[in-house]
């Protein structure tokens, strides 16, 4: 028989080979994970140029062509109106003899003919207290439909016949016209006092001093202006810029009522209006960029600061002229996303050649993590471009 000449390798050799293979597998595994999860930082320094320019810009809600040495950008004009009534404590005192007043509804349930009533016409409450019409009035004629009368009405102001708190009365469902007593009109014409008469007094009452009035009017102005400012800023979109000179608030009306209420308060009624002209600052930067491009066609703004002066608003026509000065730093344009795509997956030497070809390059550095990798990550999202 032919003897088998194969002999098994020593056990220690097998163990050594297995160890070597394990190390290699582990090493390639670590490298593969590092390759997949690695990242790179690309630092780019571009040559910088200082630049500045000034131009007159017109922000107009009806923009057109350039004029008067400047350019026109779109503007937005906003107007907000506000009215309010504020109550203030009166600190003064005065002796007074005052008649109560009230508003009543006068009804004609008699016939379809209008009825004229002169000023001081007397109206009597159910308990006999007399109030008089402040002004002459004509009560409309009632409506006649299918033989049925529908009363017509008109609101009027009445004043008590005498001063004093005893006339602070009401409300009443029916007051009679004294002058019609004994005639057919007595039941057809009547008045309804829906709210209590007030203001009647004989004696000392709270009264606003000159200082009370001055402070009240100042506070009412402030309330109107603050409210207008808050309301209009809620309306103006965040992307619009409002210069201080392009906002004007006017309190057009202040009406003082010195008569105090039962709590000793007097009132100030006010009306105001706020007008604003706003514009997009990006439109201003675009104008400055167009001016810059006339002499620097291959440059872009790296940073820019815009200063505004001599703003002259025209709130009636919704436009404003502004002196605009731009101070900027220029560099060659750089598209970070495009650069990431160009160097992704390339070796370090190839990536460096891509960077050295950038326009206006002053310096570039590449940092690879972990450091034992010799090529850029294949995934552009794992590459960070840092522009210095």
């Amino acid at each position: 028989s032919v003897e088998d000449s194969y002999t098994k390798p020593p056990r220690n050799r097998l163990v050594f080979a297995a160890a070597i293979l394990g190390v290699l597998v582990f090493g390639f595994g670590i490298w593969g994970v590092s390759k997949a999860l690695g990242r790179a930082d690309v630092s780019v320094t571009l040559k910088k140029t200082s630049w500045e320019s000034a131009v007159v810009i017109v922000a107009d809600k009806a923009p057109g062509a350039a004029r008067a040495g400047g350019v026109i950008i779109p503007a937005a004009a906003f107007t907000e109106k506000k009215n309010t009534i504020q109550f203030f404590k009166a600190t003064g005192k005065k002796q007074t003899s005052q008649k109560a007043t009230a508003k009543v509804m006068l009804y004609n349930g008699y016939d379809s003919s209008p009825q004229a009533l002169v000023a001081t016409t007397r109206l009597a409450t159910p308990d006999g207290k007399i109030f008089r019409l402040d002004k002459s009035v004509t009560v409309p004629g009632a409506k006649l439909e299918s033989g049925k009368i529908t009363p017509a009405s008109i609101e009027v102001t009445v004043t008590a016949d005498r001063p004093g708190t005893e006339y602070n009365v009401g409300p009443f469902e029916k007051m009679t016209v004294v002058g019609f007593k004994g005639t057919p009109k007595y039941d057809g014409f009547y008045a309804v006092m829906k709210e209590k008469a007030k203001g009647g007094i004989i004696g000392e009452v709270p009264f606003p001093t000159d200082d009370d009035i001055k402070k009240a009017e100042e506070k009412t102005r402030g309330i109107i202006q603050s409210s207008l400012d808050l309301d209009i800023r809620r309306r103006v979109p965040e992307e619009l810029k409002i210069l201080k000179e392009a906002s004007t608030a006017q309190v057009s009306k202040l009406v003082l009522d010195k008569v105090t209420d039962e709590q000793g308060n007097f009132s100030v009624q006010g009306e105001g209006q706020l007008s604003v002209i706003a514009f997009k600052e990006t439109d201003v930067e675009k104008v400055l960029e167009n001016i810059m491009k006339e002499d620097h066609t291959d440059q872009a703004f790296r940073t820019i600061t815009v200063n505004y002066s001599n703003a002259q608003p025209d709130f009636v026509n919704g436009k404003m002229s502004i002196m605009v000065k731009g101070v900027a730093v220029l560099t060659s344009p750089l598209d970070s996303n495009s650069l990431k795509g160009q160097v992704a997956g390339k070796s370090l030497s190839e990536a460096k050649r891509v960077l050295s070809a950038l326009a206006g390059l002053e310096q570039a550095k590449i940092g690879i993590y972990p450091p034992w990798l010799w090529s850029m990550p294949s995934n552009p999202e794992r590459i960070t471009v840092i522009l210095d």
Side-chain angles (χ1 to χ4, degrees):
S1 65
V2 179
E3 293 183 0
D4 188 355
S5 61
Y6 174 78
T7 59
K8 294 182 179 181
R11 182 176 179 80
N12 58 345
R13 289 185 181 179
L14 292 175
V15 172
F16 178 75
I20 293 297
L21 180 61
V23 169
L24 290 174
V25 170
F26 179 76
F28 277 110
I30 291 294
W31 182 87
V33 171
S34 299
K35 179 71 173 175
L37 301 180
R39 61 185 180 85
D41 291 340
V42 178
S43 299
V44 177
T45 302
L46 298 175
K47 296 176 182 177
K48 301 177 180 67
T49 303
S50 297
W51 177 89
E52 67 178 58
S53 182
V55 63
V56 174
I57 289 179
V58 176
D60 195 331
K61 68 178 183 180
R67 64 169 179 248
V71 292
I72 294 181
I73 61 172
F78 300 88
T79 299
E80 190 75 27
K81 295 182 179 180
K82 191 77 175 181
N83 57 68
T84 184
I85 182 167
Q86 299 292 320
F87 294 89
F88 303 92
K89 202 74 175 178
T91 62
K93 298 287 184 180
K94 74 169 185 176
Q95 290 291 328
T96 187
S97 175
Q98 191 169 290
K99 297 178 180 179
T101 61
K103 289 187 180 296
V104 301
M105 295 297 296
L106 268 176
Y107 287 88
N108 177 357
Y110 179 69
D111 63 13
S112 59
S113 300
Q115 175 66 54
L117 297 175
V118 299
T120 72
T121 294
R122 294 172 295 163
L123 302 177
T125 66
D127 61 355
K129 289 184 174 63
I130 300 299
F131 286 79
R132 295 177 181 269
L133 294 183
D134 287 356
K135 297 179 180 180
S136 299
V137 66
T138 298
V139 186
K143 293 182 180 180
L144 297 176
E145 296 178 353
S146 302
K148 185 179 179 180
I149 295 179
T150 301
S153 64
I154 186 172
E155 186 179 65
V156 296
T157 302
V158 295
T159 299
D161 199 37
R162 296 177 183 177
T165 56
E166 66 269 22
Y167 280 84
N168 296 333
V169 293
F172 300 111
E173 292 185 3
K174 187 172 184 179
M175 299 172 68
T176 56
V177 180
V178 177
F180 288 156
K181 191 172 183 178
T183 73
K185 293 182 178 181
Y186 187 71
D187 292 326
F189 287 89
Y190 57 93
V192 175
M193 184 187 291
K194 295 183 179 180
E195 295 183 2
K196 181 180 179 180
K198 57 184 179 180
I201 193 171
I202 298 176
E204 190 177 69
V205 296
F207 191 77
T209 65
D210 290 343
D211 190 51
D212 291 338
I213 293 171
K214 181 180 178 181
K215 290 179 179 178
E217 290 180 341
E218 288 177 354
K219 188 168 184 179
T220 303
R221 283 193 182 93
I223 290 172
I224 292 173
Q225 290 175 345
S226 297
S227 181
L228 284 169
D229 186 67
L230 180 61
D231 289 348
I232 207 161
R233 289 187 182 278
R234 287 173 176 167
R235 288 181 55 198
V236 177
E238 290 184 1
E239 66 269 19
L240 294 183
K241 184 173 184 65
I242 303 174
L243 300 179
K244 181 180 179 181
E245 300 88 343
S247 175
T248 179
Q250 295 180 338
V251 177
S252 57
K253 184 179 180 182
L254 283 178
V255 178
L256 171 68
D257 185 356
K258 295 182 180 181
V259 177
T260 54
D261 58 20
E262 294 177 355
Q263 289 75 43
N265 296 320
F266 68 101
S267 67
V268 178
Q269 183 178 355
E271 295 179 3
Q273 177 175 302
L274 177 64
S275 298
V276 164
I277 299 174
F279 59 90
K280 288 184 179 179
E281 198 160 29
T282 52
D283 289 335
V284 173
E285 293 177 0
K286 187 63 178 177
V287 169
L288 293 172
E289 183 181 19
N290 290 338
I291 294 172
M292 180 271 292
K293 289 289 187 182
E294 293 176 1
D295 298 319
H296 304 274
T297 56
D298 59 345
Q299 298 287 286
F301 286 141
R302 173 67 187 280
T303 61
I304 182 170
T305 301
V306 182
N307 298 309
Y308 303 94
S309 62
N310 197 29
Q312 298 180 12
D314 177 355
F315 295 105
V316 174
N317 296 305
K319 62 182 180 179
M320 172 176 58
S321 65
I322 324 161
M323 174 61 73
V324 177
K325 182 179 180 180
V327 179
V329 173
L330 310 181
T331 64
S332 297
L334 179 66
D335 186 335
S336 296
N337 290 328
S338 175
L339 181 59
K340 290 178 185 180
Q342 292 177 52
V343 299
K346 287 185 168 53
S347 66
L348 287 179
S349 59
E350 291 175 323
K352 289 178 180 178
R353 281 195 292 272
V354 172
L355 294 177
S356 64
L358 291 175
L361 180 69
E362 187 172 279
Q363 184 180 349
K365 296 179 181 179
I366 298 176
I368 296 287
Y369 308 95
W372 56 76
L373 296 178
W374 58 80
S375 63
M376 302 291 286
S378 300
N379 183 358
E381 294 183 359
R382 302 196 67 79
I383 301 174
T384 301
V385 174
I386 304 168
L387 184 58
D388 181 19

